Amino acid sequence: MIKKLYECGCFKYEKFILVHQKELLLTPASSVVLIQMLKEYETNKYFSVQSLKSKMMISDKEFDEAVANLLEREFYSIYIQYEDGIGREAVSLDGFFDRVKDILSGVNSKDLENDFFYVTQLIQKEIGRVLTADELSIVSSLITEDRVKVSDMEEALEYMKSRYKVLNIKNLVTSLNRFRNEAQEEEEPVPDFVKNFLDNIK
């Protein structure tokens, strides 16, 4: 439905992105790039993402980071469209329209936004510096895509501090995976046949 409204010119996506920038967890640069993508897509779905760089009033570094962030978080995707046996690279913005639908239906609530900012502040406090754009993207993905709970992030931070000398996002992600795996192993019930076997050999 959202995509159809966009295609008929009835969806004010620029205003939506600016108003819901925090809920979409977008940086200012990512917002600008996404808006330009939507403008370009209105007339040509075969545009090259890199071709937008010359139209941006941001640095090449900011553009590259924004494009990578949007792709990683699946706001857009690239695929091959075949016409008359000839393949052409095309862009799909369905991921963005899905995000819009989620926000309008209340899936991306204020709680999710608050979790992201709380976890970001907590991590920065522990590692003693501000997170880079790439690191923020990883944290955002953990919270919004993987739905990692704040309590799990707190446990992972403690796990990392107790096992690593270097505190960084890479070790935090590793700690999160190990902590969650250990928690699952502890919760895994012992099968009855194992219990019976152990009882019989006592």
Side-chain angles (χ1 to χ4, degrees):
M1 175 59 101
I2 301 298
K3 186 175 181 179
K4 288 181 179 178
L5 289 173
Y6 161 79
E7 289 174 342
C8 72
C10 301
F11 175 51
K12 297 181 179 179
Y13 57 85
E14 187 169 355
K15 179 179 179 180
F16 183 90
I17 291 171
L18 295 176
V19 170
H20 297 280
Q21 182 177 319
K22 285 187 176 181
E23 289 171 278
L24 290 165
L25 301 178
L26 293 173
T27 64
S30 295
S31 298
V32 170
V33 172
L34 181 58
I35 288 170
Q36 188 61 45
M37 283 184 178
L38 287 156
K39 285 181 179 179
E40 198 73 18
Y41 191 85
E42 287 178 327
T43 57
N44 179 24
K45 69 176 180 178
Y46 296 108
F47 71 90
S48 164
V49 174
Q50 287 301 315
S51 69
L52 301 178
K53 187 179 289 189
S54 61
K55 302 178 181 181
M56 302 280 94
M57 298 296 290
I58 58 177
S59 69
D60 288 352
K61 181 181 178 182
E62 286 179 311
F63 176 82
D64 292 339
E65 288 177 347
V67 166
N69 178 273
L70 291 169
L71 181 61
E72 183 179 306
R73 296 178 55 212
E74 299 179 348
F75 274 80
Y76 77 97
S77 60
I78 298 172
Y79 66 99
I80 302 300
Q81 176 74 43
Y82 289 93
E83 291 184 3
D84 299 325
I86 299 174
R88 299 175 65 188
E89 186 178 279
V91 173
S92 169
L93 289 163
D94 288 350
F96 166 69
F97 298 121
D98 289 341
R99 291 294 198 294
V100 173
K101 180 181 176 182
D102 286 344
I103 289 176
L104 294 177
S105 62
V107 173
N108 283 16
S109 64
K110 279 288 182 181
D111 290 338
L112 188 60
E113 174 192 332
N114 291 337
D115 286 353
F116 172 70
F117 288 108
Y118 171 77
V119 168
T120 299
Q121 295 298 314
L122 188 62
I123 294 171
Q124 291 180 156
K125 179 181 177 182
E126 294 295 347
I127 69 176
R129 64 174 174 79
V130 176
L131 299 181
T132 65
D134 288 341
E135 290 171 331
L136 284 171
S137 174
I138 292 171
V139 175
S140 171
S141 178
L142 289 171
I143 299 297
T144 60
E145 305 296 331
D146 299 337
R147 294 291 195 263
V148 175
K149 297 178 182 178
V150 171
S151 58
D152 285 350
M153 291 297 288
E154 291 172 332
E155 292 283 359
L157 277 167
E158 292 302 317
Y159 189 103
M160 177 178 68
K161 288 162 59 180
S162 68
R163 288 166 174 77
Y164 293 94
K165 291 181 179 179
V166 178
L167 306 182
N168 56 31
I169 294 298
K170 179 182 177 182
N171 287 338
L172 175 60
V173 173
T174 301
S175 296
L176 178 63
N177 291 333
R178 288 181 177 171
F179 162 74
R180 295 171 99 182
N181 288 337
E182 287 182 6
Q184 287 178 356
E185 288 173 3
E186 289 175 3
E187 293 174 2
E188 189 173 341
V190 179
D192 290 337
F193 74 89
V194 175
K195 290 180 180 178
N196 294 334
F197 175 76
L198 293 174
D199 288 339
N200 291 331
I201 62 173
K202 285 182 180 178

